[in-house]
Amino acid sequence: MRVVMFGYQTWGHRTLQALLESEHDVVLVVTHPKSEHAYEKIWSDSVADLAEEHGVPVLIRNRPDDDELFERLKEADPDIIVANNWRTWIPPRIFGLPRHGTLNVHDSLLPKYAGFSPLIWALINGEREVGVTAHMMNDELDAGDIVRQEAVPVGPTDTATDLFHKTVDLIAPVTIGALGLIAAGQTEFTRQDRSQASFFHKRADDDSRIDWSWPAEDLERLVRAQSEPYPSAYTFHRGRRLDVLASFVSEGRYGGTPGRIFYREGDGVVIVAGADARTGRNRGLAITRVRTEDGRELPAAEYFTSMGGYLTDRP
């Protein structure tokens, strides 16, 4: 099939790579300009560079809503558009132009986690598995019929970085497998159960800020979700920002005021956290490694040379 690719960053790069290695013919690539947003500088392999290396024409757009782009798409005469990690709305006259419409590849198990940063949100929320979904695009964001979907389990110590590497390897089989079904003439796919849908926004700095009223189990997942190279989970100590790089849930139960620097447990320094609403019990978050405002990374026990005091969610 003749394919036009809409994509950005490493997800789009992997999709384009899979298409170039397949039997399909990539006739045009549309991608975004580089961004300085903290989350968009991560996994930033260039879709444009890969396309140009293979002699595929490239168009750079923030939004695909201009007449010049529409005319170029008509000239390209695609059988299908494949989109992955396209960051803005694609209007109906674009996604409905090809003979077979537009296949969107999304890094979640739709209908859950439509929108942005699905791996991070899924880890924070304690999901047991994550994955990749290829679905037909329609008027509603990430809501079209599912063509192919694959899942991988979330391990008890997995970080968002681990989940990225697990799921990025699903892009090729999900995308090429879905195109194979479409090329073979299949037109009926799995309708999404919209009663199970959830949507999450793009991560911002405040979303990484630790709220010590959360249960320790939730905070430990937040720390793992904000693993390098993502911006770290953070708190404030004596008016200065302190990044929390590694932690575990305490064995002991520690009650009292959330944020209190309380006790040494193993390699960690226990901070009192909120009670778990399901059990009514408190566990502490044992921090093992931190980074200071001046960039020093050190064991938490070395940083907290004396117990006492508080960590807060504001300076």
Side-chain angles (χ1 to χ4, degrees):
M1 288 195 296
R2 290 172 62 83
V3 178
V4 168
M5 166 73 195
F6 277 62
Y8 184 51
Q9 296 177 296
T10 298
W11 280 88
H13 187 278
R14 285 292 188 96
T15 304
L16 178 57
Q17 191 170 49
L19 290 169
L20 292 168
E21 293 171 357
S22 75
E23 62 185 6
H24 305 290
D25 183 18
V26 182
V27 295
L28 179 67
V29 165
V30 186
T31 189
H32 293 302
K34 290 182 179 180
S35 170
E36 292 304 309
H37 187 283
Y39 282 86
E40 295 194 356
K41 292 194 291 185
I42 302 168
W43 317 121
S44 56
D45 295 300
S46 173
V47 171
D49 289 351
L50 180 61
E52 289 168 356
E53 287 170 13
H54 288 81
V56 179
V58 177
L59 296 177
I60 308 294
R61 292 292 191 279
N62 279 310
R63 296 182 179 277
D65 54 6
D66 60 276
D67 290 338
E68 179 190 357
L69 172 62
F70 185 64
E71 292 303 318
R72 290 288 299 274
L73 288 172
K74 288 199 296 185
E75 291 170 6
D77 191 29
D79 295 303
I80 195 165
I81 291 172
V82 174
N84 192 343
N85 202 33
W86 184 261
R87 314 299 276 175
T88 58
W89 183 63
I90 298 177
R93 75 165 181 166
I94 299 294
F95 72 68
L97 177 66
R99 297 173 184 84
H100 298 292
T102 293
L103 181 76
N104 186 50
V105 183
H106 183 68
D107 51 333
S108 84
L109 296 175
L110 294 173
K112 294 182 178 180
Y113 297 94
F116 296 90
S117 306
L119 294 177
I120 294 177
W121 287 112
L123 181 52
I124 290 170
N125 291 334
E127 300 292 348
R128 295 183 178 182
E129 60 180 10
V130 293
V132 173
T133 302
H135 70 95
M136 301 309 300
M137 188 174 287
N138 62 14
D139 287 337
E140 191 175 351
L141 180 64
D142 294 334
D145 291 355
I146 294 170
V147 182
R148 182 163 176 171
Q149 185 176 78
E150 292 194 22
V152 291
V154 177
T157 62
D158 276 345
T159 65
T161 305
D162 295 328
L163 298 182
F164 169 85
H165 289 296
K166 285 184 178 183
T167 53
V168 78
D169 290 337
L170 299 178
I171 290 175
V174 168
T175 304
I176 304 305
L179 288 178
L181 295 174
I182 295 166
Q186 187 167 333
T187 58
E188 297 294 324
F189 303 109
T190 303
R191 188 176 296 253
Q192 292 192 39
D193 180 357
R194 302 308 295 160
S195 70
Q196 300 299 310
S198 58
F199 181 89
F200 289 82
H201 59 70
K202 186 182 293 187
R203 301 285 293 177
D205 183 69
D206 266 2
D207 294 310
S208 302
R209 178 169 45 85
I210 293 175
D211 181 343
W212 290 103
S213 69
W214 287 18
E217 291 83 357
D218 294 354
L219 292 177
E220 189 270 342
R221 291 196 304 271
L222 174 63
V223 172
R224 285 191 282 126
Q226 298 296 155
S227 60
E228 294 286 351
Y230 299 101
S232 301
Y234 68 92
T235 186
F236 291 92
H237 183 235
R238 296 175 180 170
R240 294 187 177 184
R241 177 168 167 150
L242 183 68
D243 290 346
V244 178
L245 306 181
S247 66
F248 62 90
V249 177
S250 69
E251 291 291 333
R253 297 175 186 162
Y254 302 92
T257 306
R260 176 72 182 267
I261 305 166
F262 194 60
Y263 191 75
R264 282 284 298 274
E265 184 176 295
D267 294 331
V269 174
V270 175
I271 314 300
V272 176
D276 189 318
R278 294 159 293 185
T279 65
R281 297 174 178 172
N282 291 78
R283 295 281 185 186
L285 183 72
I287 298 174
T288 57
R289 193 159 189 82
V290 299
R291 180 170 52 229
T292 61
E293 277 191 344
D294 60 6
R296 292 182 301 131
E297 292 188 14
L298 65 164
E302 182 178 332
Y303 176 80
F304 296 111
T305 53
S306 62
M307 296 298 103
Y310 291 86
L311 297 179
T312 60
D313 63 358
R314 297 290 178 186

